[in-house]
Amino acid sequence: MSDTTNRKSIPNRRAVLKGMVGGALGANLTAQQADASTFQSPYKPKDNISRVPRLIWKLERPKPALPYSYFWTWDHSTNWMLDDPGMLNFGCSNAYLKNPETYVEDYRRLTDLSAGLGVKGILIWGFLRDEHGGVDFGKRVADYAASKGVAIKPGVGTNAYGGIYYRGNHKYNIQTFTAKYPEASRVTKNGVRLRGGTCPTSPIFVEWLQEGLQWLFREFNVGGANLENGDFVVCHCPRCKELHASWKKGEPAFWMHQYYGYNTALGAIDNQLADKFVTWATY
Ligand SMILES: [Zn+2]
């Protein structure tokens, strides 16, 4: 009994901290409110409809420091709709837990921010997924960005990382592809074929990757792409081993695999490279 009484009269650590946070927020709000009376917004509305400035993501600057820059994003943790319970703010390759509509709205807002700042592109890992509307919602994201002059750059896994359609039952998803053509999958040192990774010298894989990239560029209003090969992956099938034996000595084996992945992909969109914003990761 006396213990309970003491707890009531002596504030515990959590209550003290809570009070401090509340106090800090209160002080901050008061300062902001004071500023608001004298603050002159640089935002000049163009018409009556846009009279309410979207201050958070509608930022502008006179001239970007770099002629080409882009945001590197994951779909699952690009959060501009802050009331979606599926938000994540960590990790990579996560599941997408938000509402499908949130995907479109998150990137609509990020597009507005990019356009205002003169950022040329938005790279999206997870651009196409069954969980957020697949092809239809991907088109909506790409169309809106294109209308604002911002290049959507889907992350494309050339030998891993989902392929062209990041996750779902789609012919250009790498898991779907290797399930149908196990002979095109990557072979480990112990001779095991892996689903989710491909052999970069397999003729079926070459055809699939090139066809898939051409489909991506034809079907969607994308402004480019970003290629990743799967970090340090190496295929140990007899064909790759034989090819690597004639490769320049002293170079790590994954460089050869990177070359075959990227060269195959770039060859498929060669005639569009002058107009598209295409980048790739080097390991
Ligand atoms: Zn191989």
Side-chain angles (χ1 to χ4, degrees):
M1 176 68 84
S2 61
D3 185 42
T4 312
T5 312
N6 281 342
R7 273 199 206 142
K8 273 184 185 166
S9 57
I10 302 167
N12 62 24
R13 186 170 169 270
R14 175 175 287 200
V16 170
L17 284 172
K18 202 173 163 188
M20 284 169 69
V21 171
L25 282 176
N28 193 29
L29 277 178
T30 310
Q32 279 182 359
Q33 281 159 355
D35 278 355
S37 59
T38 52
F39 176 67
Q40 294 291 315
S41 169
Y43 180 84
K44 299 279 183 288
K46 290 190 179 69
D47 52 55
N48 287 333
I49 299 164
S50 60
R51 199 157 285 283
V52 181
R54 292 183 294 176
L55 285 175
I56 296 174
W57 56 89
K58 186 75 183 175
L59 299 175
E60 287 169 3
R61 56 180 173 174
K63 191 173 182 288
L66 299 169
Y68 282 92
S69 57
Y70 58 90
F71 287 117
W72 197 111
T73 73
W74 267 109
D75 58 344
H76 53 65
S77 46
T78 293
N79 302 318
W80 293 82
M81 288 280 284
L82 299 181
D83 57 352
D84 193 304
M87 276 196 318
L88 298 174
N89 56 13
F90 64 91
C92 65
S93 310
N94 297 347
Y96 188 86
L97 305 174
K98 295 186 269 187
N99 293 309
E101 291 76 15
T102 302
Y103 172 56
V104 177
E105 186 57 21
D106 277 338
Y107 281 98
R108 190 184 70 79
R109 295 181 185 194
L110 183 54
T111 292
D112 287 351
L113 177 81
S114 306
L117 292 177
V119 172
K120 292 281 192 287
I122 303 172
L123 191 171
I124 307 176
W125 277 100
F127 173 64
L128 293 169
R129 294 204 197 222
D130 284 359
E131 300 107 292
H132 56 51
V135 168
D136 284 352
F137 280 26
K139 283 185 175 176
R140 286 170 60 181
V141 167
D143 284 346
Y144 183 74
S147 78
K148 298 284 173 180
V150 175
I152 291 296
K153 294 156 57 68
V156 171
T158 53
N159 285 109
Y161 302 155
I164 291 124
Y165 192 105
Y166 183 71
R167 191 171 288 172
N169 185 20
H170 190 277
K171 70 185 284 199
Y172 296 125
N173 167 264
I174 224 164
Q175 299 266 0
T176 311
F177 169 66
T178 51
K180 192 172 176 187
Y181 299 102
E183 67 272 32
S185 57
R186 184 159 63 87
V187 177
T188 67
K189 230 175 198 168
N190 301 323
V192 178
R193 288 201 175 270
L194 288 177
R195 271 190 71 186
T198 47
C199 164
T201 63
S202 152
I204 310 169
F205 157 76
V206 168
E207 197 184 320
W208 172 81
L209 181 64
Q210 295 203 318
E211 200 186 283
L213 263 168
Q214 285 164 358
W215 169 78
L216 180 72
F217 275 52
R218 188 174 63 241
E219 197 72 15
F220 300 86
N221 216 344
V222 294
N226 184 70
L227 313 176
E228 284 215 36
N229 195 49
D231 289 40
F232 307 104
V233 295
V234 172
C235 178
H236 295 269
C237 80
R239 185 179 45 237
C240 285
K241 271 184 176 167
E242 195 187 322
L243 205 59
H244 191 247
S246 62
W247 200 253
K248 195 178 169 190
K249 298 284 172 253
E251 284 189 350
F254 70 84
W255 280 6
M256 186 190 92
H257 293 72
Q258 193 168 273
Y259 166 80
Y260 278 105
Y262 294 171
N263 200 44
T264 299
L266 293 170
I269 48 173
D270 190 36
N271 58 350
Q272 298 180 65
L273 287 178
D275 306 319
K276 298 284 186 186
F277 189 3
V278 178
T279 50
W280 53 90
T282 52
Y283 304 109

